[in-house]
Amino acid sequence: MVFLLIFITFINITVTGWGYFSLYQRRYLFSERFGFTVTYLASTSCSFVIALNLFLLFPQHFEVVSTFTLFLGIVVGALFGSMVNMQSFIAGIFNGGVGGIMGSMLGAVALDPSLCGLPADLWAEQDMMLFMALLSLSIQLLSACMLTLTNRL
Amino acid sequence: MPQWIGWFLLLNLTTACIAYLFLYPRRNLIGFHLGMNIAMAAGGGLALGTGVILINLFPLHFIEVIISTALLGMVAGGLFGALFDYQSVLTGYINGLMMGIMSPMVGAAASEGPMFILFIELFILSCYVLLLTSAYRS
Protein backbone atom coordinates (compact mmCIF):
# COMPACT_ATOMS: atom_id res chain seq x y z
CA MET A 1 0.00 0.00 0.00
CA VAL A 2 2.91 2.33 0.70
CA PHE A 3 4.23 1.75 -2.82
CA LEU A 4 0.87 2.81 -4.26
CA LEU A 5 0.97 5.96 -2.14
CA ILE A 6 4.52 6.78 -3.27
CA PHE A 7 3.51 6.19 -6.89
CA ILE A 8 0.47 8.46 -6.58
CA THR A 9 2.55 11.17 -4.88
CA PHE A 10 4.98 10.99 -7.80
CA ILE A 11 2.09 11.30 -10.29
CA ASN A 12 0.68 14.31 -8.43
CA ILE A 13 4.00 16.14 -8.35
CA THR A 14 4.52 15.41 -12.04
CA VAL A 15 1.07 16.77 -12.92
CA THR A 16 1.79 19.90 -10.87
CA GLY A 17 5.06 20.52 -12.69
CA TRP A 18 3.46 19.85 -16.07
CA GLY A 19 0.64 22.31 -15.32
CA TYR A 20 3.16 24.93 -14.25
CA PHE A 21 5.25 24.64 -17.40
CA SER A 22 2.28 24.52 -19.76
CA LEU A 23 0.88 27.68 -18.14
CA TYR A 24 4.30 29.33 -18.03
CA GLN A 25 4.65 29.24 -21.78
CA ARG A 26 1.47 31.31 -22.24
CA ARG A 27 1.90 33.74 -19.37
CA TYR A 28 1.99 36.84 -21.60
CA LEU A 29 -1.53 36.11 -22.87
CA PHE A 30 -3.14 36.26 -19.42
CA SER A 31 -5.32 39.14 -18.32
CA GLU A 32 -5.32 40.17 -14.65
CA ARG A 33 -8.56 38.41 -13.83
CA PHE A 34 -7.58 35.22 -15.62
CA GLY A 35 -4.27 35.20 -13.76
CA PHE A 36 -6.09 35.51 -10.44
CA THR A 37 -8.48 32.64 -11.27
CA VAL A 38 -5.74 30.31 -12.48
CA THR A 39 -3.58 31.07 -9.45
CA TYR A 40 -6.49 30.46 -7.09
CA LEU A 41 -7.40 27.07 -8.59
CA ALA A 42 -3.91 25.72 -9.21
CA SER A 43 -2.31 26.73 -5.92
CA THR A 44 -5.22 25.50 -3.79
CA SER A 45 -5.62 22.10 -5.42
CA CYS A 46 -1.92 21.31 -5.89
CA SER A 47 -0.85 22.28 -2.36
CA PHE A 48 -3.87 20.43 -0.87
CA VAL A 49 -3.09 17.21 -2.70
CA ILE A 50 0.66 17.27 -2.04
CA ALA A 51 0.14 18.07 1.66
CA LEU A 52 -2.36 15.18 2.03
CA ASN A 53 -0.01 12.70 0.38
CA LEU A 54 3.05 13.78 2.35
CA PHE A 55 1.13 13.66 5.63
CA LEU A 56 0.00 10.09 4.95
CA LEU A 57 3.52 9.07 3.92
CA PHE A 58 5.22 10.26 7.12
CA PRO A 59 2.68 9.95 9.97
CA GLN A 60 5.29 9.70 12.74
CA HIS A 61 6.81 13.18 12.35
CA PHE A 62 3.69 15.25 13.03
CA GLU A 63 5.06 18.75 13.54
CA VAL A 64 7.85 18.59 10.99
CA VAL A 65 5.55 17.39 8.22
CA SER A 66 2.79 19.91 8.91
CA THR A 67 5.29 22.80 8.99
CA PHE A 68 6.97 21.54 5.84
CA THR A 69 3.68 21.19 3.95
CA LEU A 70 2.70 24.74 4.90
CA PHE A 71 6.03 25.97 3.54
CA LEU A 72 5.64 23.82 0.42
CA GLY A 73 2.14 25.20 -0.22
CA ILE A 74 3.45 28.76 0.04
CA VAL A 75 6.24 27.94 -2.44
CA VAL A 76 3.79 26.34 -4.92
CA GLY A 77 1.41 29.31 -4.64
CA ALA A 78 4.24 31.81 -5.11
CA LEU A 79 5.45 29.94 -8.21
CA PHE A 80 1.99 29.96 -9.80
CA GLY A 81 1.29 33.53 -8.73
CA SER A 82 4.53 35.06 -9.93
CA MET A 83 3.49 34.52 -13.54
CA VAL A 84 1.21 37.55 -13.82
CA ASN A 85 1.49 40.40 -11.33
CA MET A 86 1.50 41.37 -7.64
CA GLN A 87 -2.22 40.74 -7.07
CA SER A 88 -2.06 37.13 -8.17
CA PHE A 89 1.19 36.71 -6.22
CA ILE A 90 -0.56 37.64 -2.96
CA ALA A 91 -3.53 35.42 -3.82
CA GLY A 92 -1.22 32.53 -4.60
CA ILE A 93 0.71 32.82 -1.33
CA PHE A 94 -2.45 33.00 0.78
CA ASN A 95 -4.39 30.23 -0.98
CA GLY A 96 -1.38 27.94 -1.17
CA GLY A 97 -0.85 28.25 2.58
CA VAL A 98 -4.53 27.60 3.28
CA GLY A 99 -4.48 24.55 1.00
CA GLY A 100 -1.42 23.15 2.76
CA ILE A 101 -3.02 23.55 6.20
CA MET A 102 -6.26 21.93 5.02
CA GLY A 103 -4.43 18.97 3.49
CA SER A 104 -2.54 18.22 6.69
CA MET A 105 -5.81 18.62 8.64
CA LEU A 106 -7.58 16.04 6.46
CA GLY A 107 -4.60 13.71 6.86
CA ALA A 108 -4.65 14.06 10.64
CA VAL A 109 -8.38 13.29 10.81
CA ALA A 110 -7.94 10.31 8.47
CA LEU A 111 -5.18 8.86 10.63
CA ASP A 112 -7.01 9.42 13.92
CA PRO A 113 -10.82 9.83 13.58
CA SER A 114 -11.29 10.33 17.32
CA LEU A 115 -9.89 13.87 16.88
CA CYS A 116 -13.26 14.87 15.45
CA GLY A 117 -15.44 12.85 17.81
CA LEU A 118 -15.91 10.06 15.30
CA PRO A 119 -15.48 6.47 16.52
CA ALA A 120 -11.83 5.37 16.52
CA ASP A 121 -12.37 2.18 14.52
CA LEU A 122 -14.14 3.98 11.71
CA TRP A 123 -12.01 2.38 8.99
CA ALA A 124 -9.06 0.06 8.64
CA GLU A 125 -5.77 1.68 7.73
CA GLN A 126 -5.53 -0.06 4.36
CA ASP A 127 -8.96 1.19 3.28
CA MET A 128 -8.19 4.70 4.49
CA MET A 129 -4.89 4.88 2.59
CA LEU A 130 -6.47 3.53 -0.61
CA PHE A 131 -9.40 5.95 -0.37
CA MET A 132 -7.28 9.01 0.36
CA ALA A 133 -4.78 8.18 -2.41
CA LEU A 134 -7.54 7.75 -4.99
CA LEU A 135 -9.31 10.91 -3.74
CA SER A 136 -6.15 12.98 -4.11
CA LEU A 137 -5.45 11.52 -7.56
CA SER A 138 -8.97 12.26 -8.79
CA ILE A 139 -8.92 15.83 -7.41
CA GLN A 140 -5.59 16.53 -9.07
CA LEU A 141 -6.57 15.05 -12.43
CA LEU A 142 -9.92 16.88 -12.48
CA SER A 143 -8.28 20.21 -11.64
CA ALA A 144 -5.62 19.65 -14.31
CA CYS A 145 -8.33 18.86 -16.87
CA MET A 146 -10.20 22.07 -16.03
CA LEU A 147 -6.95 24.07 -16.19
CA THR A 148 -6.06 22.75 -19.62
CA LEU A 149 -9.61 23.34 -20.86
CA THR A 150 -9.00 27.07 -20.34
CA ASN A 151 -6.51 27.02 -23.19
CA ARG A 152 -9.12 25.75 -25.60
CA LEU A 153 -11.84 28.24 -24.70
CA MET B 1 -28.87 14.40 17.64
CA PRO B 2 -32.59 14.70 16.78
CA GLN B 3 -33.71 13.47 13.39
CA TRP B 4 -35.63 16.59 12.34
CA ILE B 5 -32.44 18.25 11.17
CA GLY B 6 -32.84 16.23 7.98
CA TRP B 7 -35.52 18.68 6.89
CA PHE B 8 -32.89 21.42 6.68
CA LEU B 9 -31.32 19.46 3.83
CA LEU B 10 -34.51 19.84 1.84
CA LEU B 11 -34.66 23.53 2.76
CA ASN B 12 -31.11 24.09 1.49
CA LEU B 13 -31.74 22.35 -1.81
CA THR B 14 -35.02 24.22 -2.33
CA THR B 15 -33.36 27.56 -1.64
CA ALA B 16 -30.55 26.77 -4.09
CA CYS B 17 -33.04 25.76 -6.80
CA ILE B 18 -35.09 28.93 -6.25
CA ALA B 19 -31.94 31.05 -6.42
CA TYR B 20 -30.84 29.36 -9.65
CA LEU B 21 -34.26 29.83 -11.25
CA PHE B 22 -34.28 33.46 -10.09
CA LEU B 23 -30.80 34.17 -11.46
CA TYR B 24 -31.25 32.42 -14.81
CA PRO B 25 -33.36 35.04 -16.65
CA ARG B 26 -31.18 37.93 -15.44
CA ARG B 27 -27.78 36.39 -16.00
CA ASN B 28 -26.92 38.85 -18.77
CA LEU B 29 -27.51 41.84 -16.49
CA ILE B 30 -24.98 40.74 -13.88
CA GLY B 31 -21.34 41.72 -14.24
CA PHE B 32 -18.47 39.28 -13.94
CA HIS B 33 -17.33 40.53 -10.53
CA LEU B 34 -20.71 39.91 -8.88
CA GLY B 35 -20.98 36.66 -10.84
CA MET B 36 -17.74 35.32 -9.40
CA ASN B 37 -18.87 36.13 -5.86
CA ILE B 38 -22.28 34.55 -6.48
CA ALA B 39 -20.63 31.33 -7.66
CA MET B 40 -18.33 31.20 -4.62
CA ALA B 41 -21.01 31.98 -2.02
CA ALA B 42 -23.72 29.74 -3.47
CA GLY B 43 -21.58 26.65 -4.06
CA GLY B 44 -19.64 26.95 -0.81
CA GLY B 45 -22.73 27.63 1.29
CA LEU B 46 -24.68 24.70 -0.14
CA ALA B 47 -21.75 22.32 0.39
CA LEU B 48 -21.18 23.59 3.95
CA GLY B 49 -24.80 23.12 5.03
CA THR B 50 -25.16 19.71 3.40
CA GLY B 51 -21.93 18.34 4.88
CA VAL B 52 -22.68 19.48 8.43
CA ILE B 53 -26.18 17.96 8.33
CA LEU B 54 -25.23 14.69 6.62
CA ILE B 55 -22.36 13.83 8.96
CA ASN B 56 -24.68 14.33 11.94
CA LEU B 57 -27.35 12.12 10.40
CA PHE B 58 -24.95 9.31 9.42
CA PRO B 59 -21.90 9.47 11.73
CA LEU B 60 -20.54 6.06 10.66
CA HIS B 61 -20.42 6.66 6.90
CA PHE B 62 -17.58 9.16 6.64
CA ILE B 63 -16.37 8.11 3.19
CA GLU B 64 -19.77 8.29 1.52
CA VAL B 65 -20.52 11.66 3.13
CA ILE B 66 -17.20 13.12 1.94
CA ILE B 67 -17.70 11.87 -1.62
CA SER B 68 -21.31 13.04 -1.92
CA THR B 69 -20.62 16.45 -0.38
CA ALA B 70 -17.57 17.13 -2.55
CA LEU B 71 -19.52 16.14 -5.66
CA LEU B 72 -22.47 18.33 -4.65
CA GLY B 73 -20.22 21.32 -3.97
CA MET B 74 -18.39 20.93 -7.26
CA VAL B 75 -21.59 20.57 -9.29
CA ALA B 76 -23.38 23.43 -7.51
CA GLY B 77 -20.43 25.82 -7.80
CA GLY B 78 -19.95 24.89 -11.44
CA LEU B 79 -23.63 25.34 -12.27
CA PHE B 80 -23.89 28.72 -10.55
CA GLY B 81 -20.67 29.80 -12.26
CA ALA B 82 -21.84 28.53 -15.65
CA LEU B 83 -24.49 31.24 -15.66
CA PHE B 84 -21.74 33.79 -16.30
CA ASP B 85 -18.47 32.61 -17.88
CA TYR B 86 -15.76 29.99 -17.67
CA GLN B 87 -13.60 31.67 -15.02
CA SER B 88 -16.59 31.79 -12.69
CA VAL B 89 -16.96 28.05 -13.29
CA LEU B 90 -13.35 27.52 -12.18
CA THR B 91 -13.73 29.66 -9.05
CA GLY B 92 -17.03 28.09 -8.01
CA TYR B 93 -15.67 24.60 -8.65
CA ILE B 94 -12.59 24.89 -6.47
CA ASN B 95 -14.45 26.70 -3.67
CA GLY B 96 -17.23 24.11 -3.59
CA LEU B 97 -14.66 21.31 -3.56
CA MET B 98 -12.75 22.79 -0.61
CA MET B 99 -15.91 23.49 1.39
CA GLY B 100 -17.29 20.03 0.62
CA ILE B 101 -14.17 18.28 1.87
CA MET B 102 -13.85 20.40 5.00
CA SER B 103 -17.50 20.56 6.14
CA PRO B 104 -17.93 16.91 7.32
CA MET B 105 -14.96 17.44 9.67
CA VAL B 106 -16.50 20.63 11.06
CA GLY B 107 -19.83 18.87 11.54
CA ALA B 108 -18.23 15.88 13.27
CA ALA B 109 -16.23 18.11 15.62
CA ALA B 110 -19.31 20.16 16.59
CA SER B 111 -21.90 17.44 17.13
CA GLU B 112 -23.03 18.60 20.58
CA GLY B 113 -26.56 19.73 19.86
CA PRO B 114 -28.78 21.29 17.23
CA MET B 115 -27.86 24.89 18.10
CA PHE B 116 -24.79 24.94 15.84
CA ILE B 117 -26.79 23.62 12.91
CA LEU B 118 -29.49 26.23 13.46
CA PHE B 119 -26.93 29.02 13.28
CA ILE B 120 -25.27 27.50 10.20
CA GLU B 121 -28.69 27.42 8.53
CA LEU B 122 -29.36 31.05 9.50
CA PHE B 123 -25.99 32.06 8.06
CA ILE B 124 -26.51 30.24 4.77
CA LEU B 125 -30.06 31.49 4.27
CA SER B 126 -29.03 35.09 4.98
CA CYS B 127 -26.16 34.63 2.48
CA TYR B 128 -28.67 33.55 -0.16
CA VAL B 129 -31.00 36.46 0.63
CA LEU B 130 -28.12 38.97 0.34
CA LEU B 131 -27.06 37.39 -2.93
CA LEU B 132 -30.53 37.59 -4.43
CA THR B 133 -30.94 41.19 -3.25
CA SER B 134 -27.69 42.28 -4.85
CA ALA B 135 -28.61 40.45 -8.06
CA TYR B 136 -32.02 42.15 -8.06
CA ARG B 137 -30.57 45.64 -7.63
CA SER B 138 -27.84 45.32 -10.23
Side-chain angles (χ1 to χ4, degrees), chain A residues 2-67:
Chain A
V2 175
F3 287 110
L4 177 72
L5 199 56
I6 291 173
F7 182 60
I8 284 183
T9 311
F10 186 70
I11 289 179
N12 285 333
I13 292 176
T14 313
V15 170
T16 305
W18 174 75
Y20 176 69
F21 283 115
S22 72
L23 286 175
Y24 187 78
Q25 289 169 352
R26 320 186 160 76
R27 68 188 184 281
Y28 295 118
L29 304 176
F30 292 173
S31 64
E32 283 192 354
R33 181 172 171 245
F34 186 75
F36 176 76
T37 312
V38 162
T39 306
Y40 184 43
L41 191 139
S43 64
T44 309
S45 68
C46 292
S47 62
F48 176 80
V49 162
I50 292 177
L52 177 60
N53 281 332
L54 282 184
F55 200 92
L56 291 182
L57 269 182
F58 305 105
Q60 288 91 15
H61 312 88
F62 194 87
E63 294 181 353
V64 180
V65 172
S66 50
T67 313

Side-chain angles (χ1 to χ4, degrees), chain A residues 33-34 36-37 40-41 44 48 102 105-106 109 116 118-119 122-123 131 139 142-143 146 149-150 153, chain B residues 32 36 40 59-60 62-63 67 74 85-91 93-95 97-98 101-102 105 108-109:
Chain A
R33 181 172 171 245
F34 186 75
F36 176 76
T37 312
Y40 184 43
L41 191 139
T44 309
F48 176 80
M102 280 188 171
M105 188 170 98
L106 184 59
V109 172
C116 269
L118 295 167
L122 187 62
W123 42 34
F131 171 68
I139 287 175
L142 200 56
S143 300
M146 296 194 77
L149 265 181
T150 56
L153 295 176
Chain B
F32 67 86
M36 194 175 101
M40 286 175 73
L60 294 179
F62 195 63
I63 291 178
I67 291 177
M74 272 157 41
D85 60 346
Y86 192 72
Q87 301 184 28
S88 304
V89 175
L90 288 183
T91 318
Y93 155 76
I94 192 64
N95 202 37
L97 178 69
M98 272 300 133
I101 290 178
M102 287 309 130
M105 282 189 257

Side-chain angles (χ1 to χ4, degrees), chain A residues 1 11 17 36 55 67 85 93 102 106 126 130 132 145 147:
Chain A
M1 200 53 71
I11 289 179
F36 176 76
F55 200 92
T67 313
N85 55 5
I93 284 184
M102 280 188 171
L106 184 59
Q126 300 279 322
L130 188 62
M132 286 299 165
C145 283
L147 268 183

